[in-house]
Each structure stands twice: as structure tokens, then as C-alpha cells.
Amino acid sequence: MSYLTILTSEGPTLVNYVRGAAEETNDLLHRRLYDADVTLPQLECLDHMVRLERPAALGELAARMACSRSNITQLIDRMERRGLVRRTVDPTDRRGVRAVLTREGMRRHHVGLSIVVHLERDLRGAFSEDVLRQLFSGLAELRDAAADRSHRAG
């Protein structure tokens, strides 16, 4: 993995470590999902659909996934070609389209979630409970500090 390395007089920066850990973890997750023939965006979309427990309007999925309508349309197009979802007409608005999970979509969702759970277990196994508590606490503080500075700048 190649990412920007910033060195200061104190050595590697917090930004380097956080970005590096995130990128390595993200790459590992993508590789494991690839082996199961599902992408992370597909798994996230399937997960939203499962949680909704009903056919999902594309605009609603776009909002839940924090992406544009055109992005969700393209994602649903790819998922429909793969047999993970099918489109149906919105019964309340004939101009609207809803996405419905297929049996294969449910299966891929189950497989994908299983991969995420196993990866979580693998990564947690590298740390003691004390270190995990410290890590979660530190990451929450880092997230809050970054959000605070982001809100001040905006």
C-alpha cells in the first residue's frame, strides 16, 4: 500500500499511523470480500436493504449510503445484473423505482457479514482486552478531536 508519508522532527505522524492502519484494514476487507464475490459498496447497500425489511426507494438508499442518486442507480444496475436485487415499480408512485432483495442478494449479504465478523475476530485477537479498550478510547477521542476541528474550520 502506498500512501503519503509525512515526517516531522518527532518522527512519523499520527496522521500516518491512522491512515496507514485504515488503508491496510480496508484493503484486507476488500480482498476478503472479493474472494466471496461481493464488493464493500454492494455489501453496504444489501445491509441497508436487509435492515429496511421492505423494498427500498433508490433515493432512500442514496441518503442512507451518503451518496448521489446517480451513484446508487449505477450500483443498483450492477447489483441487478449480478442477480442481487431486482427493480420494481413503487406502488405509491408509478414513476418511482424500488429495489428488492433477491435470494442471491440475501445469500451474499449473509456471506459478506460473516467475512466482516471473522475479520473483526481476527484483528481483535491481535490485542489484549486492555489494549483494545485503550485503542477504542483513543480512536474515539481522535474522531471527536478531528470532528471538532472540522466544525471549527467550516
Side-chain angles (χ1 to χ4, degrees), residues 21 25 120-133 135-136:
T25 304
E120 175 77 10
R121 191 175 302 135
D122 288 350
L123 292 174
R124 281 177 176 256
F127 303 98
S128 70
E129 285 301 316
D130 284 343
V131 170
L132 273 176
R133 273 193 298 281
L135 180 60
F136 287 142

Side-chain angles (χ1 to χ4, degrees), residues 110-128:
H110 178 75
V111 169
L113 282 186
S114 176
I115 287 168
V116 171
V117 166
H118 284 97
L119 177 57
E120 175 77 10
R121 191 175 302 135
D122 288 350
L123 292 174
R124 281 177 176 256
F127 303 98
S128 70

Side-chain angles (χ1 to χ4, degrees), residues 23 43 46 56 63-64 70-71 76 97 110 121 130 150 153:
E23 288 182 27
L43 179 59
L46 292 169
R64 286 174 175 264
S70 65
N71 283 353
I76 294 296
V97 175
H110 178 75
R121 191 175 302 135
D130 284 343
S150 177

Side-chain angles (χ1 to χ4, degrees), residues 34-80:
Y34 178 84
D35 291 343
D37 199 27
V38 65
T39 67
L40 186 54
Q42 289 170 354
L43 179 59
E44 289 172 344
C45 187
L46 292 169
D47 195 57
H48 285 295
M49 293 176 71
V50 166
R51 291 173 190 275
L52 282 170
E53 297 180 340
R54 59 176 165 69
L58 300 193
E60 183 178 18
L61 285 173
R64 286 174 175 264
M65 293 184 67
C67 69
S68 69
R69 283 232 16 167
S70 65
N71 283 353
I72 202 70
T73 298
Q74 292 173 23
L75 179 60
I76 294 296
D77 286 347
R78 288 189 301 273
M79 292 172 66
E80 189 173 34

